[in-house]
């Protein structure tokens, strides 16, 4: 028998390799020796009629795998879908068919529709290693995609995932959504907009990615209130019942290639315009949206720094959306400072609920921006005249209908039994002088919140005690850092000591 075809017993190795299948063989494994497997080789694993591709790691410790076992990381084990101890065979994998196209993009060449489609099919099939994924992400960032490439990349991402058809599922022809391109800490408007427009009667199935480079995303924050890892079928049932959801898009298998690319973009802190457009629009179209309000914040420390840059990005979104039949309303908004008071999943969830509950201490900037965005979405309704949306949205929020709608969504998704606590370790960052707070640096504040542990530690983050334009006195707290672990607090405090992100000018 061919050594590569000999069987080994599957062993689940409790290592989270984050969207990458990793296999483990002992260095003395007869199969490994006979077939000439080397560390970081690409391998095919076959078991019970299933096949996955994985990157091979070679180990010397029999506590991880013995010489008759094939270890699989958590991702690989889940993807193969067999029990521990099940026999499996391993063989050398052929290189991805699209590798030549990848090399062309690395060399700065323009890719056609079929080449991008082939790359995304291989990405979605886990044929690319993290190294190859990183090469694609970096190449498309360094050699910016032209608008046709962005369109083809978006089409390819849609094609490899599932796609919701709300006309067939619930008879809805108008499906609205809202998205912000990110870069503004605390900007949890989606969690207010969704219940407002759903209470108005519009269908709003909101699927979100987890945070890429920010201290929290919508899915991270909603997870503090309810389950967000909803199956495709569960999400459909919830939307049928409540007209809305606030879910993580990964488990619903909407644009799965995007989730894999995000797993590389996150540690590289890369979010290029072309990848951003393809990521956002592929998710929205796959989720069945017909109408989308897009928020592009503009500010000196936002993702988009100038009005000119924002207008170019707006046109790119409109070009792709127009070719894909998505009606788009793009708003350029104030991105000069964080929105709300809390930065981090638990803190942001508290802000959202305070606004919904009509708490006088709730952040008014978060409330006002949410109303403006909800107004534009409500005006997609043919029965609403232009300019009426704001009053309708405010009435829904002030009457408590939005809160009732949010509670219905939370209950349908699976309410969290008890709220997670804030990080118990705190440090207040103090004003160094008297004056006016004239700048809150989004990037610095987000960085400090992430160093404190957000979003991986939900209770970590920053509570802003002052905002732009506020008068401050020397020694007065500007914000409070929350952390759960001493090391995280030390990292965050050290960074804040070098530059706390606050600029104070004369009164």
């Amino acid at each position: 028998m061919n050594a590569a075809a000999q069987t080994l017993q599957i062993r689940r190795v409790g290592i989270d390799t984050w969207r990458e299948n990793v296999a483990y063989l002992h260095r003395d494994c007869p199969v490994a020796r006979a077939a000439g497997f080397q560390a970081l080789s690409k391998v095919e694993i076959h078991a019970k009629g299933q096949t996955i591709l994985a990157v091979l790691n070679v180990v010397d410790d029999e506590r991880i795998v013995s010489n008759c076992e094939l270890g699989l990381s958590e991702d690989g084990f889940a993807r193969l879908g067999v029990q521990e101890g099940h026999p499996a065979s391993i063989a050398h994998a052929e290189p991805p068919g699209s590798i030549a196209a990848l090399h062309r993009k690395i060399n700065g060449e323009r890719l056609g529709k079929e080449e991008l489609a082939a790359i995304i099919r291989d990405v979605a099939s886990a044929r690319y290693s993290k190294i190859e994924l990183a090469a694609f992400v970096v190449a498309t960032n360094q050699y910016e995609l032209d608008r046709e490439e962005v369109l083809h990349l978006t089409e390819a991402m849609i094609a490899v995932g599932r796609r919701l058809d709300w006309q067939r599922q619930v008879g809805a022809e108008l499906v609205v959504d809202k998205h912000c391109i990110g870069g503004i800490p605390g900007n949890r408007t989606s969690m207010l907009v969704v219940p407002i427009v759903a209470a108005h009667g519009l269908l709003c199935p909101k699927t979100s990615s987890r945070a890429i480079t920010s201290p929290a995303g919508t899915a991270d924050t909603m997870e503090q209130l309810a389950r967000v890892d909803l199956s495709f079928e569960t999400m459909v049932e919830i939307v049928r019942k409540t007209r809305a959801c606030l879910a993580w898009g990964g488990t619903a298998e909407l644009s799965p290639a995007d989730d894999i690319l995000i797993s590389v973009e996150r540690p590289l802190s890369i979010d290029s315009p072309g990848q951003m457009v393809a990521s956002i629009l592929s998710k929205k179209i796959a989720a069945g949206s017909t109408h989308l309000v897009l928020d592009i914040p503009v500010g000196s420390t936002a993702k988009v720094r100038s009005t000119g840059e924002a207008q170019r990005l707006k046109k790119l979104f409109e070009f792709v959306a127009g070719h894909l039949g998505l009606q788009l309303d793009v708003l350029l908004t104030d991105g000069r400072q964080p929105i709300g008071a809390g930065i981090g999943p638990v803190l942001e969830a508290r802000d959202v609920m305070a606004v919904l509950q009509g708490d006088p201490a709730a952040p008014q900037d978060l409330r006002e921006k949410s109303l403006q965005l909800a107004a534009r979405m409500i005006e997609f309704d043919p029965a609403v005249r232009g300019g009426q949306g704001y009053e309708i949205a405010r009435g829904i929020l002030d009457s408590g209908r939005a809160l009732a709608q949010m509670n219905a969504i939370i209950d349908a998704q699976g309410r969290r039994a008890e709220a997670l606590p804030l990080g118990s370790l705190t440090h207040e960052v103090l004003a160094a002088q008297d004056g006016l707070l004239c700048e809150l640096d989004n990037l610095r504040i987000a960085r400090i919140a992430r160093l404190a542990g957000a979003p991986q530690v939900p209770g970590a983050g920053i509570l802003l005690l002052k905002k732009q334009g506020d008068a401050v006195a020397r020694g007065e707290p500007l914000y409070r850092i929350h952390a759960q672990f001493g090391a995280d607090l030390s990292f965050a405090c050290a960074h804040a000591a070098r530059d706390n992100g606050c600029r104070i000018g004369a009164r």
Side-chain angles (χ1 to χ4, degrees):
M1 181 184 289
N2 187 315
Q6 291 180 18
T7 59
L8 298 166
Q9 288 186 327
I10 292 290
R11 179 168 181 175
R12 182 179 184 176
V13 178
I15 298 176
D16 181 358
T17 50
W18 188 240
R19 297 279 176 178
E20 183 175 36
N21 301 331
V22 178
Y24 304 89
L25 284 180
H26 196 279
R27 192 177 303 278
D28 294 332
C29 174
V31 173
R33 288 189 168 194
F37 290 116
Q38 295 181 338
L40 299 185
S41 297
K42 296 278 277 300
V43 295
E44 281 188 3
I45 298 165
H46 307 273
K48 205 176 180 179
Q50 301 294 318
T51 300
I52 64 167
L53 292 131
V55 174
L56 180 65
N57 282 199
V58 175
V59 301
D60 295 302
D61 191 338
E62 287 201 357
R63 292 173 296 180
I64 299 173
V65 286
S66 70
N67 61 14
C68 63
E69 292 178 318
L70 170 60
L72 288 176
S73 65
E74 294 287 4
D75 282 90
F77 185 79
R79 195 173 183 102
L80 190 60
V82 299
Q83 297 296 314
E84 273 199 300
H86 196 283
S89 62
I90 182 171
H92 290 282
E94 294 295 323
S98 63
I99 203 72
L102 171 62
H103 289 160
R104 286 190 59 209
K105 180 47 72 176
I106 291 170
N107 291 330
E109 298 179 43
R110 182 185 182 280
L111 298 184
K113 181 174 182 175
E114 290 306 317
E115 290 171 305
L116 284 164
I119 287 174
I120 294 303
R121 282 195 299 270
D122 282 340
V123 168
S125 300
R127 291 184 173 274
Y128 273 26
S129 67
K130 282 283 178 71
I131 294 170
E132 290 159 337
L133 289 169
F136 177 69
V137 167
V138 171
T140 53
N141 181 59
Q142 182 176 0
Y143 303 107
E144 190 171 334
L145 301 171
D146 65 30
R147 64 180 196 170
E148 283 78 18
E149 284 182 298
V150 178
L151 172 60
H152 299 326
L153 180 61
T154 309
E155 291 172 326
M157 287 183 173
I158 295 167
V160 297
R162 302 182 76 174
R163 188 168 177 177
L164 282 166
D165 182 351
W166 296 107
Q167 171 68 35
R168 182 174 61 83
Q169 297 286 354
V170 297
E173 295 183 3
L174 181 65
V175 182
V176 301
D177 202 350
K178 168 264 164 192
H179 192 86
C180 176
I181 68 166
I184 307 300
N187 193 26
R188 289 285 74 79
T189 54
S190 292
M191 290 176 64
L192 293 162
V193 166
V194 169
I196 291 171
V197 301
H200 175 69
L202 296 176
L203 202 74
C204 188
K206 173 69 176 168
T207 59
S208 304
S209 299
R210 296 189 184 276
I212 300 176
T213 57
S214 68
T218 298
D220 302 301
T221 305
M222 183 64 180
E223 194 170 36
Q224 308 317 305
L225 306 174
R227 279 190 57 203
V228 296
D229 55 337
L230 308 176
S231 70
F232 188 89
E233 295 74 19
T234 300
M235 189 170 72
V236 170
E237 198 54 42
I238 289 168
V239 174
R240 184 179 287 121
K241 182 178 179 180
T242 67
R243 297 189 299 280
C245 68
L246 284 152
W248 175 48
T251 48
E253 298 177 11
L254 305 173
S255 190
D258 180 51
D259 292 309
I260 294 171
L261 291 172
I262 283 172
S263 73
V264 173
E265 292 167 3
R266 178 183 292 169
L268 291 175
S269 296
I270 287 178
D271 201 5
S272 67
Q275 292 165 354
M276 181 196 304
V277 171
S279 172
I280 292 170
L281 295 186
S282 67
K283 284 280 176 65
K284 299 309 167 190
I285 292 169
S289 300
T290 61
H291 296 67
L292 174 67
V293 168
L294 183 69
D295 173 18
I296 301 181
V298 183
S300 61
T301 59
K303 279 186 182 179
V304 177
R305 307 295 175 85
S306 68
T307 302
E309 185 184 348
Q311 289 291 351
R312 288 191 295 274
L313 186 60
K314 176 177 182 285
K315 289 178 181 177
L316 180 57
F317 270 109
E318 290 172 339
F319 171 81
V320 176
H323 278 73
L324 296 175
L326 178 67
Q327 186 167 326
L328 186 65
D329 184 7
V330 180
L331 283 74
L332 308 188
T333 60
D334 184 355
R336 292 175 296 171
Q337 66 174 331
I339 299 290
I343 300 166
V346 170
L347 286 159
E348 293 179 30
R350 291 184 177 194
D351 276 359
V352 167
M353 295 310 296
V355 172
L356 286 169
Q357 291 163 356
D359 186 338
Q364 293 304 299
D365 56 349
L366 177 61
R367 170 189 159 92
E368 183 59 28
K369 184 172 183 180
S370 299
L371 287 173
Q372 296 287 349
L373 293 167
R376 300 292 279 263
M377 293 175 72
I378 288 170
E379 289 173 10
F380 283 140
D381 182 349
V384 175
R385 292 199 305 270
Q388 290 184 322
Y390 185 86
E391 289 303 317
I392 294 171
R394 186 170 63 181
I396 291 170
L397 181 59
D398 290 346
S399 68
R401 289 170 58 201
L403 175 60
Q405 188 72 38
M406 183 62 153
N407 279 324
I409 294 167
I410 290 171
D411 287 336
Q413 291 187 198
R415 184 181 293 270
R416 180 180 282 278
E418 56 186 36
L420 289 177
L422 282 178
S424 57
L425 304 178
T426 63
H427 172 77
E428 290 189 342
V429 173
L430 309 179
Q433 64 187 67
D434 296 339
L436 286 177
L437 182 56
C438 55
E439 182 183 359
L440 270 171
D441 187 317
N442 289 304
L443 294 172
R444 293 283 182 185
I445 295 295
R447 175 68 173 155
I448 293 166
R450 286 179 65 86
L451 287 170
Q456 286 79 14
V457 180
I462 286 175
L463 178 64
L464 296 173
L465 304 173
K466 297 290 183 180
K467 298 295 285 285
Q468 266 189 29
D470 288 348
V472 298
R474 177 184 172 86
E476 191 175 9
L478 299 170
Y479 58 83
R480 183 181 303 119
I481 301 171
H482 284 267
Q484 193 60 45
F485 303 102
D488 290 344
L489 185 65
S490 295
F491 288 137
C493 290
H495 195 83
R498 290 193 295 272
D499 186 343
N500 62 25
C502 300
R503 306 287 177 265
I504 298 173
R507 293 185 183 181

